[in-house]
Amino acid sequence: MSLPMKRLLIALSCAMAALSAAAQSTPPDDALYRALGGTPGLTKLMADFVPRLAADPRIGEFFKETKLSELQKQLVDQFCVVSGGSCVYEGETMKNSHAEMKIRKADFNALVEVLQESMDRQGIPFSVQNRLLARLAPMHRDIVNTR
Ligand code: HEM
């Protein structure tokens, strides 16, 4: 191999090493996802949360026609995405899926309370709970659609 060719190859491999180092030094922020126990943790959380939601005396009625196993799956994917995990959420937007349901602020708050209880039951630390809730809170704009 000619010297210029050798130099070119060395330069190329240095550039590639630099690129992969840069990729490693800026990982995606999945800290919250990991704090929630990753997909296994979220799967356990939703397995507790969804049945309790459906049984809740305040808002259980909303879920009487819902296929709970499907909702559970969508929620695992959605919470994975929201917390920074590398999942794909294939469900509807929050606006479309809750349109026409006449959800009030009080209903939204009741759901958040059930979620907090489920997170307590899973031993999720308070600070982690709050970080998740902070990411969910803005969704009320698309979900709450009546007074
Ligand atoms: C932060 C709050 C909430 C989040 C993150 C959330 C998330 C979701 C997701 C991901 C779905 C599945 C969408 C799909 O299948 O494509 C869904 C469906 C549903 N949500 Fe919510 N939701 C929230 C609040 C509420 C509230 C407050 C209620 C009522 C009290 C509610 C009632 C429902 C019902 C009944 C369905 C099922 C619709 C069906 O049967 O297809 N949600 N929600």
Side-chain angles (χ1 to χ4, degrees):
M1 194 186 297
S2 69
L3 193 59
M5 191 62 183
K6 263 190 193 158
R7 284 204 175 128
L8 181 65
L9 281 178
I10 291 168
L12 269 177
S13 65
C14 286
M16 279 163 71
L19 271 177
S20 83
Q24 276 164 25
S25 65
T26 52
D29 184 7
D30 63 352
L32 180 55
Y33 170 71
R34 286 184 284 108
L36 289 163
T39 299
L42 289 172
T43 303
K44 265 181 76 182
L45 177 63
M46 290 311 161
D48 184 76
F49 172 61
V50 170
R52 284 156 45 70
L53 203 52
D56 188 89
R58 296 162 296 179
I59 52 174
E61 192 68 6
F62 281 95
F63 299 91
K64 66 178 191 301
E65 307 279 315
T66 299
K67 195 172 168 210
L68 297 180
S69 58
E70 184 54 27
L71 178 63
Q72 208 168 302
K73 185 206 168 299
Q74 298 291 12
L75 284 170
V76 171
D77 288 345
Q78 186 199 34
F79 278 49
C80 170
V81 173
V82 164
S83 63
S86 57
C87 305
V88 179
Y89 169 68
E90 291 177 330
E92 268 294 346
T93 62
M94 290 302 91
K95 210 176 185 97
N96 285 347
S97 55
H98 300 90
E100 329 267 324
M101 278 190 205
K102 296 206 169 66
I103 296 175
R104 299 164 307 156
K105 191 77 207 275
D107 302 321
F108 189 90
N109 291 343
L111 177 138
V112 169
E113 261 179 55
V114 178
L115 179 60
Q116 280 172 317
E117 282 159 20
S118 285
M119 291 194 288
D120 279 342
R121 290 156 63 91
Q122 302 298 312
I124 296 173
F126 196 58
S127 62
V128 176
Q129 297 190 17
N130 283 344
R131 276 152 66 202
L132 177 63
L133 294 175
R135 294 191 190 185
L136 298 177
M139 294 180 185
H140 81 269
R141 286 187 211 105
D142 288 335
I143 293 172
V144 173
N145 43 29
T146 194
R147 285 169 67 85

